Amino acid sequence: MSSQQHSLKPFNTFNLDRFAQELIIATTPEALSAAWQESQLRQQPVLLIGEGSNILFLDDFQGKAIINRIKGIAVKEGAEAWHLHVGAGENWHQLVKYTLEKGLPGLENMAMIPGCTGSAPIQNIGAYGVELKSICEYVDVLHLATGEIERLPTEACQFGYRDSIFKHKYQYGYAIVAVGLILNKKWQPVLSYGDLGKLSPQTATPQQIFDTVCQMRSSKLPDPAKTGNAGSFFKNPVVSVEQANAIMAAWPDAPRYPQADGSVKLAAGWLIDRCDLKGFAIGGAAVHQQQALVLINQHQATSGDIVALAHEVRQRVGQKFNVWLEPEVRFIGAQGEQDAVGVIA
């Protein structure tokens, strides 16, 4: 089958015109497992995709792309919390809107994070002071070789900053088919970031937080439907206290977020911005004018343009601050995932 057979453009938010040899839309765990097993028998590369909001295709994919579209939202009410069972193929932002409409607060800080619900545990997504791990009850994982589904409680998911067991032990041969969320009835607003600090802890409502988060994200982040991008391109770097103090001595306004283990998280967007890189372009790729953490497909960018731009950003930040940024975005080559740091180093 020709590699020009199936366009991946609708399945990557960078809007890159890449192709796969085969493309399957799977709406059940059985379909997902069957498609994967067939690829194994044919010794064919296989790639699982949600909405492609965290993917950079480096080449055409020389195998089968399986699009996870397992849907469904079930809500059970307990004495102290609501328990949600959400299909991996449900759009995350639509889920946040759904919960608010149903009077189930707790996800509002994570409004407008692009992608599917099934991708949320992989990255341990988070925004504006809330991470998935704080509201995740379990993750249902499909063992693709056997068709069996295993339920991992939160503590087994090894959630870290933009990290989880799904990037390690469960990275290959497994697929997330559902996520269990627990939303506490004793709701507390989280107002620690950005314009949320202007809201009153006594009177702030979940809807106000949702609206404020949407406003902040819309003002800073380009809409992938209009300008190709994958959201935050780089992880916020975590450094030692000594290194953070050295940066603070030279740049007292540098944002810093002390971590529980004694390390300090820095803001990658601030570091890039201080290198005067907003608007900087290579080929059709550019650093976004409003948010330096976002790399955009400004004008028919190639994969090579985006890689070259990411390399340049990493080099400039590294030379100025001695902090070496790592991509948050997954890099996919012709045969599968590649080491993103290795590609741009």
Side-chain angles (χ1 to χ4, degrees):
M1 193 178 288
S2 163
S3 64
Q4 301 301 301
Q5 200 73 14
H6 299 278
S7 174
L8 290 168
K9 198 168 187 179
F11 305 107
N12 78 99
T13 57
F14 262 120
N15 295 329
L16 295 174
D17 212 5
R18 290 298 189 182
F19 295 84
Q21 285 185 352
E22 279 188 77
L23 194 141
I24 301 279
I25 309 282
T27 58
T28 65
E30 293 76 19
L32 205 58
S33 188
W36 186 86
Q37 289 173 18
E38 184 194 21
S39 291
Q40 297 306 296
L41 284 171
R42 289 160 56 183
Q43 296 185 317
Q44 175 190 41
V46 63
L47 176 67
L48 301 178
I49 303 177
E51 292 186 357
S53 62
N54 200 45
I55 281 177
L56 173 63
F57 285 112
L58 303 176
D59 298 289
D60 290 344
F61 185 64
Q62 301 300 315
K64 180 189 292 178
I66 305 173
I67 314 299
N68 185 338
R69 287 294 176 267
I70 298 169
K71 298 293 185 79
I73 303 172
V75 181
K76 285 184 182 174
E77 185 173 356
E80 297 180 356
W82 293 281
H83 302 266
L84 279 68
H85 180 87
V86 186
E90 291 285 349
N91 175 273
W92 178 262
H93 179 63
Q94 294 306 316
L95 170 67
V96 176
K97 287 173 69 174
Y98 172 90
T99 56
L100 285 180
E101 286 162 8
K102 297 287 183 186
L104 316 174
L107 301 183
E108 55 282 340
N109 289 60
M110 293 193 281
M112 284 185 75
I113 295 178
C116 287
T117 299
S119 303
I122 300 173
Q123 287 286 101
N124 181 26
I125 62 169
Y128 299 107
V130 178
E131 282 188 317
L132 181 84
K133 69 177 182 181
S134 65
I135 44 102
C136 180
E137 190 168 22
Y138 60 80
V139 177
D140 283 352
V141 184
L142 173 68
H143 192 314
L144 292 161
T146 65
E148 293 176 8
I149 295 174
E150 179 183 1
R151 177 159 292 182
L152 295 182
T154 303
E155 53 271 21
C157 294
Q158 297 178 12
F159 287 128
Y161 173 61
R162 299 295 174 267
D163 197 26
S164 69
I165 199 169
F166 310 108
K167 286 189 170 184
H168 305 285
K169 180 182 174 185
Y170 288 94
Q171 184 172 10
Y172 299 108
Y174 298 88
I176 293 171
V177 293
V179 178
L181 303 175
I182 181 166
L183 302 179
N184 201 313
K185 288 184 175 179
K186 290 181 181 172
W187 176 78
Q188 292 284 332
V190 178
L191 307 174
S192 48
Y193 282 77
D195 290 348
L196 292 175
K198 297 174 184 175
L199 299 176
S200 162
Q202 284 73 42
T203 60
T205 66
Q207 188 65 45
Q208 281 179 320
I209 293 174
F210 173 88
D211 292 340
T212 303
V213 168
C214 289
Q215 191 177 350
M216 285 192 289
R217 291 187 78 98
S218 297
S219 69
K220 292 196 297 185
L221 302 172
D223 180 354
K226 297 172 184 167
T227 306
N229 74 93
S232 301
F233 194 90
F234 295 100
K235 299 176 188 176
N236 286 322
V238 178
V239 301
S240 67
V241 173
E242 293 76 20
Q243 194 170 0
N245 287 343
I247 290 171
M248 292 297 292
W251 293 274
D253 64 329
R256 57 180 288 165
Y257 307 100
Q259 304 297 291
D261 63 0
S263 60
V264 178
K265 187 194 295 182
L266 304 175
W270 184 91
L271 297 170
I272 297 167
D273 192 15
R274 287 305 173 277
C275 294
D276 297 321
L277 284 166
K278 278 183 179 172
F280 178 78
I282 292 180
V287 178
H288 188 50
Q289 281 283 8
Q290 274 74 45
Q291 171 51 277
L293 194 51
V294 177
L295 305 188
I296 61 171
N297 178 352
Q298 184 168 255
H299 181 66
Q300 297 179 335
T302 64
S303 309
D305 292 342
I306 297 168
V307 168
L309 180 62
H311 167 81
E312 188 63 24
V313 169
R314 185 173 193 264
Q315 291 301 120
R316 293 217 196 162
V317 170
Q319 287 159 9
K320 184 161 189 164
F321 295 101
N322 194 29
V323 173
W324 297 89
L325 299 179
E326 298 184 3
E328 189 174 305
V329 174
R330 296 170 62 205
F331 285 29
I332 309 296
Q335 301 290 315
E337 187 156 2
Q338 295 190 8
D339 172 42
V341 173
V343 172
I344 69 164

